Amino acid sequence: MARSAMSPAPRRGPASEAGRSVDQARADWVRDFRRVRAETEARSAHLSVEDQIVQSMADASPTKWHRAHVTWFFEQFLLVPHDPSYRVFDQRFPFLFNSYYVAAGPRHARPQRGLITRPNSEDVSAYRAHVDAAVVRLIEQVPAEMADRIFEIVEIGLHHEQQHQELLLTDILHAFAQNPTDPVYDANWRPPHAAQGPRGYVEVPPGIQAVGHSGEKFCFDNETPLHDELIPHVRIARHLVTNAEWVEFIRAEGYATASLWLSDGWSMVQAENWQAPGYWRQKEGTWHAMTLAGLKPIDPNAPVQHVSYYEAEAFARFAGKHLPSEAEWEVAARTNIIADAFGIAWQWTRCAYLPYPGYRPAEGALGEYNGKFMISQMVLRGSSLATPEGHERVSYRNFFYPPARWQFSGVRLAEFV
Ligand SMILES: [Fe+2]
């Protein structure tokens, strides 16, 4: 599956922020709503109608589905329960565009999303416009005593939509990578630059440290509660593992050395014939990789992307290191001792995706899609080049199954001292 849209834990009604009137909060939420909704359309604008239909694997969803699903989210969780004047755009859409909310009713089979040619892209655009107008009207007209609750749901919907904006890119890149003509998503796209400076390892502050979300700003409920973790004496890499380092792993026959791999990982190497990170291929004797700007020679100094947890773990073993724990990563990021924590590649940790001590899922349908995924997945930290601006957080917990490698996932190492 694609990353689950995570269950939210709003910290406080935005209208009640000190010094902000309800009218000002209304104006701010309309502006934020329009900005986030426009970003989804901006990311989709590079794609043809045909591009927007394709589903290249069960884990990935068509662009058109993403555009409609995030719209359904506002319709289902904001408009239907809170706006008596709202009329559902099309009674058939909830079945098509509900992802996995059992409490919200039956839904279409995920692996068959690519078979849905109708509603077409124009219909989805009309659906978006219908819901946009209704949400803006609700924000502008909601009575003051209901404003906090409405703004909370708008906020959740916007963070949810931002998650799908990242998935929109990872999913279309996977689709384009299946195409022998190497399509280009955006010819002007450029990869972010990794930090320069001395490489090596830095000590993470040891001892009992607070981990998890604190403060009044938004977070998802899986980042709570704030709790203590014991940090051992450990050093963490300042930088991310590079493509050049990964080429060394390949040259050393890392993909052919069973002793480096977890058993399940070795099974995947053999079943999928993995010989390099996702999207890498040899062209005229040089490693190339599919990117958002098409097929490009790999940059030796750039951080490696599109590696699974299994590959990250095998590489760490090859290097005589290990992957950081979630807590080690978070304390390092909070204390600002690592480079490129955000904005390039999500970083696998050695931690299974589990509830923090005392965690309880939210009540109701919106609480469905976080706690119930806390099984058999691994946590990644940081953010990636595809993460929308303003969506990243030091306490953010992303999670995927260990074989997944179509996300912008990379590696940061650690070593015990
Ligand atoms: Fe979702």
Side-chain angles (χ1 to χ4, degrees):
M1 53 166 268
R3 180 178 67 192
S4 311
M6 291 179 280
S7 178
R11 310 302 295 171
R12 187 170 66 170
S16 61
E17 283 173 17
R20 185 160 72 150
S21 70
V22 174
D23 280 346
Q24 184 59 51
R26 284 193 181 99
D28 291 347
W29 281 113
V30 167
R31 182 201 61 217
D32 288 354
F33 177 77
R34 289 196 165 125
R35 177 178 56 80
V36 172
R37 296 284 285 170
E39 175 65 17
T40 303
E41 294 302 284
R43 291 185 181 211
S44 307
H46 295 280
L47 301 170
S48 70
V49 167
E50 291 86 350
D51 292 334
Q52 294 197 31
I53 299 170
V54 70
Q55 181 176 28
S56 54
M57 63 171 170
D59 284 344
S61 297
T63 300
K64 187 178 74 177
W65 185 90
H66 285 300
R67 292 176 60 225
H69 163 71
V70 292
T71 305
W72 166 82
F73 190 98
F74 284 108
E75 182 174 73
Q76 174 72 30
F77 297 119
L78 179 68
L79 296 172
V80 169
H82 298 287
D83 181 355
S85 70
Y86 180 73
R87 294 290 167 263
V88 169
F89 180 76
D90 188 316
Q91 296 291 346
R92 300 168 298 181
F93 282 16
F95 181 83
L96 290 176
F97 301 126
N98 177 358
S99 50
Y100 45 67
Y101 299 85
V102 175
R107 69 218 69 84
H108 188 232
R110 178 189 183 102
Q112 292 167 18
R113 289 173 184 165
L115 302 180
I116 305 303
T117 57
R118 298 180 189 192
N120 63 26
S121 289
E122 260 180 53
D123 299 329
V124 168
S125 294
Y127 182 36
R128 287 182 64 89
H130 174 83
V131 167
D132 283 350
V135 171
V136 168
R137 194 167 56 240
L138 179 59
I139 294 171
E140 288 177 338
Q141 297 179 1
V142 64
E145 63 274 15
M146 283 179 58
D148 279 355
R149 180 61 189 143
I150 296 304
F151 298 158
E152 271 180 18
I153 303 171
V154 170
E155 184 170 41
I156 291 160
L158 295 180
H159 285 269
H160 171 252
E161 183 144 351
Q162 288 184 310
Q163 292 182 313
H164 280 275
Q165 288 166 359
E166 175 150 4
L167 294 172
L168 189 155
L169 294 186
T170 59
D171 292 0
I172 199 65
L173 183 60
H174 185 269
F176 282 177
Q178 316 309 310
N179 185 326
T181 67
D182 307 325
V184 172
Y185 168 78
D186 177 3
N188 295 318
W189 179 84
R190 296 287 179 272
H193 287 293
Q196 303 299 304
R199 299 186 67 82
Y201 291 75
V202 284
E203 186 174 10
V204 181
I208 295 173
Q209 305 283 356
V211 167
H213 184 81
S214 63
E216 299 298 326
K217 291 188 174 168
F218 178 88
C219 73
F220 291 109
D221 68 354
N222 62 357
E223 300 162 52
T224 66
L226 185 70
H227 63 284
D228 288 337
E229 295 265 4
L230 179 60
I231 305 296
H233 289 280
V234 63
R235 286 150 46 94
I236 191 165
R238 277 201 190 92
H239 295 83
L240 302 178
V241 169
T242 64
N243 288 327
E245 291 170 308
W246 209 273
V247 167
E248 288 305 308
F249 177 65
I250 295 169
R251 284 191 183 136
E253 303 202 325
Y255 281 94
T257 307
S259 59
L260 293 174
W261 295 80
L262 294 166
S263 176
D264 289 354
W266 185 241
S267 296
M268 283 300 295
V269 168
Q270 295 184 303
E272 301 292 323
N273 193 27
W274 285 350
Q275 298 181 16
Y279 308 150
W280 281 34
R281 70 182 81 142
Q282 290 272 8
K283 185 179 173 188
E284 295 159 1
T286 309
W287 281 114
H288 286 61
M290 269 300 280
T291 73
L292 294 171
L295 189 68
K296 298 288 183 187
I298 65 156
D299 172 359
N301 299 317
V304 70
Q305 296 270 18
H306 304 297
V307 292
S308 63
Y309 174 80
Y310 294 137
E311 288 164 290
E313 211 277 341
F315 182 90
R317 198 174 303 194
F318 167 76
K321 313 291 184 188
H322 64 266
L323 300 176
S325 72
E326 278 195 77
E328 291 160 11
W329 188 98
E330 185 171 322
V331 172
R334 282 189 192 284
T335 47
N336 229 4
I337 57 176
I338 52 176
D340 300 330
F342 302 100
I344 298 182
W346 292 98
Q347 296 136 64
W348 289 106
T349 72
R350 65 176 187 271
C351 292
Y353 179 47
L354 294 171
Y356 284 163
Y359 166 80
R360 286 283 178 275
E363 295 290 325
L366 276 175
E368 241 188 73
Y369 62 95
N370 199 5
K372 75 180 188 181
F373 292 112
M374 290 178 173
I375 182 70
S376 304
Q377 306 201 56
M378 302 301 288
V379 172
L380 303 93
R381 289 304 200 100
S383 67
S384 85
L385 57 87
T387 308
E389 196 180 334
H391 190 67
E392 65 200 21
R393 239 178 347 267
V394 72
S395 58
Y396 202 107
R397 306 175 78 198
N398 198 355
F399 50 93
F400 278 95
Y401 289 104
R405 59 181 198 166
W406 89 107
Q407 297 302 303
F408 294 99
S409 49
V411 185
R412 182 188 303 275
L413 297 175
E415 61 180 13
F416 291 116
V417 290

